[in-house]
Amino acid sequence: MPQLQQYQFLRGSRRVCLIAAVCVATGCTSMDESSRRTATGAAVGATAGAVLSSVTGGKAGTGAVIGGAIGAVAGHAWSRRMEEKQRALEQASAGTGVEVSRTQDNQLRVHVPGDLSFDTGRADLRPSMRPVLDQFAREFGTGMQVNIIGHTDNSGNDALNQPLSLQRAETVRDYLAARGVPSSQMTVAGRGSREPLAGNDSEQGRARNRRVEILLSERPS
């Protein structure tokens, strides 16, 4: 890269990095979550655009503008849709013990503990879990993907726990399918007792480990 171009690249990169830093340190603190992610996406996109533009011989400022626009759109598209679903599921499951959260890889996780989902050694859906799944089915939209993972406590052995955890995931899938969620957009898995969240030395711990996790994500377009 010629010396003048290197100087232009560094100057443009510093400018967009400064914009990102100012946003994170000041302006973004007063934004809601949706706006903050949109702004963050714009800042990251701007930096990436500047780098790409400079490397390929363009102007860092132009690349920053293009990259910022792409980053803003991408950040906003995720946050608006998925955060609305998260809020709806949180409201539907309030006071039930169900945990709704966002994962680091942009999936919406619905954690249903054992005292709400399944009895020990059984794959029959408890009535208390049905309203949560009903709401989940209503929140399912086009372009979505569901991954259902069943877990058990350590009662019994792996020869029993592994198929039981899969049966629990399949029970949830079948319930959602009966309420309109396409089976082709759902996957199931059983983890047995291999991924405990708590100790298995108490009924409370075993109930927490005896769970189903439902992961909702947007399918790549």
Side-chain angles (χ1 to χ4, degrees):
M1 183 182 295
Q3 186 174 3
L4 177 59
Q5 190 173 357
Q6 285 180 339
Y7 171 76
Q8 292 174 334
F9 165 71
L10 292 173
R11 185 179 179 183
S13 297
R14 290 193 187 102
R15 184 181 299 117
V16 296
C17 288
L18 177 60
I19 293 171
V22 170
C23 172
V24 172
T26 59
C28 287
T29 59
S30 61
M31 297 178 182
D32 59 21
E33 187 66 17
S34 176
S35 300
R36 183 161 51 249
R37 290 199 181 110
T38 300
T40 302
V44 173
T47 304
V51 172
L52 179 60
S53 181
S54 296
V55 169
T56 56
K59 295 181 179 179
T62 302
V65 171
I66 296 173
I70 295 173
V73 170
H76 188 66
W78 154 253
S79 60
R80 283 294 297 272
R81 188 179 193 189
M82 298 299 284
E83 284 180 8
E84 287 174 359
K85 294 183 182 300
Q86 181 174 352
R87 285 194 295 269
L89 288 167
E90 286 174 339
Q91 292 173 0
S93 60
T96 65
V98 171
E99 300 172 8
V100 182
S101 61
R102 180 180 179 178
T103 66
Q104 291 184 343
D105 58 347
N106 291 340
Q107 296 188 81
L108 186 59
R109 177 190 286 118
V110 179
H111 172 274
V112 187
D115 57 357
L116 191 67
S117 54
F118 300 99
D119 293 321
T120 300
R122 300 187 64 86
D124 305 293
L125 196 64
R126 298 185 68 176
S128 53
M129 186 177 176
R130 293 171 185 168
V132 177
L133 294 182
D134 290 341
Q135 180 64 38
F136 188 93
R138 286 191 289 269
E139 290 302 320
F140 188 86
T142 57
M144 307 301 292
Q145 179 69 38
V146 179
N147 186 22
I148 306 165
I149 305 172
H151 300 266
T152 69
D153 57 37
N154 69 345
S155 302
N157 53 46
D158 289 343
L160 296 174
N161 290 334
Q162 178 59 37
L164 177 60
S165 64
L166 180 59
Q167 289 169 12
R168 288 174 172 170
E170 291 172 340
T171 296
V172 173
R173 177 200 61 195
D174 295 344
Y175 186 92
L176 292 174
R179 279 145 185 82
V181 180
S183 297
S184 60
Q185 291 173 234
M186 293 188 284
T187 61
V188 296
R191 303 285 170 79
S193 60
R194 298 190 300 276
E195 298 179 3
L197 295 178
N200 282 293
D201 52 354
S202 68
E203 176 52 38
Q204 291 79 7
R206 288 190 294 273
R208 183 161 176 77
N209 295 332
R210 191 172 61 247
R211 69 197 189 277
V212 171
E213 292 178 333
I214 310 172
L215 297 168
L216 180 67
S217 60
E218 293 184 292
R219 303 174 74 184
S221 58

